[in-house]
Amino acid sequence: MAATSEAKTTATEPPKIVWNEGKHRFETEDHEAFIDYKIRNNGKVMDLVHTYVPSSKRGLGLASLLCIAAFEHASSHSLSIIPSCSYVSDTFLPRNPTWKPLVHSEDLKSSI
């Protein structure tokens, strides 16, 4: 019975997001969902270029968790963010306006 309740607890915990520096992405521990980035402007800007969540895991809030991990990383490393990925610019930022101060100027986004 203890194993069953432990499994239920694990299932309700949010998945852990890890930084894969070598692949320039933040990803779930199973590597199935991720957000890719490119470092620009001599290491001062993180360009979030692509978010991917497999269809079997959509609707669980993974894309948002990936974005939060990337924005928290950028904040703690004094980086600004270019939201090139449409999920980041069109969905995540409108739903989470407190992260907007980290967004780099739109002039740079359009010139890259």
Side-chain angles (χ1 to χ4, degrees):
M1 185 149 180
T4 305
S5 64
E6 185 178 310
K8 286 180 181 175
T9 302
T10 303
T12 59
E13 292 174 4
K16 185 176 179 183
I17 306 299
V18 296
W19 178 32
N20 186 332
E21 187 176 8
K23 287 189 174 182
H24 293 124
R25 66 172 48 170
F26 292 87
E27 58 193 13
T28 52
E29 283 186 302
D30 62 9
H31 313 290
E32 290 187 12
F34 55 85
I35 185 166
D36 288 325
Y37 67 88
K38 293 181 181 179
I39 296 296
R40 302 196 185 277
N41 228 17
N42 297 319
K44 297 177 183 174
V45 179
M46 178 184 284
D47 186 355
L48 300 178
V49 295
H50 180 67
T51 304
Y52 175 77
V53 175
S55 58
S56 63
K57 296 189 176 191
R58 292 189 183 146
L60 302 175
L62 291 179
S64 180
L65 292 174
L66 291 162
C67 288
I68 290 168
F71 274 79
E72 285 177 345
H73 178 86
S75 178
S76 66
H77 289 83
S78 300
L79 302 172
S80 58
I81 287 189
I82 298 172
S84 293
C85 170
S86 61
Y87 173 80
V88 179
S89 62
D90 300 345
T91 303
F92 178 76
L93 283 170
R95 290 179 183 172
N96 300 275
T98 56
W99 290 110
K100 286 184 179 180
L102 284 179
V103 174
H104 198 64
S105 73
E106 287 300 311
D107 303 65
L108 181 59
K109 179 182 175 186
S110 61
S111 67
I112 291 180

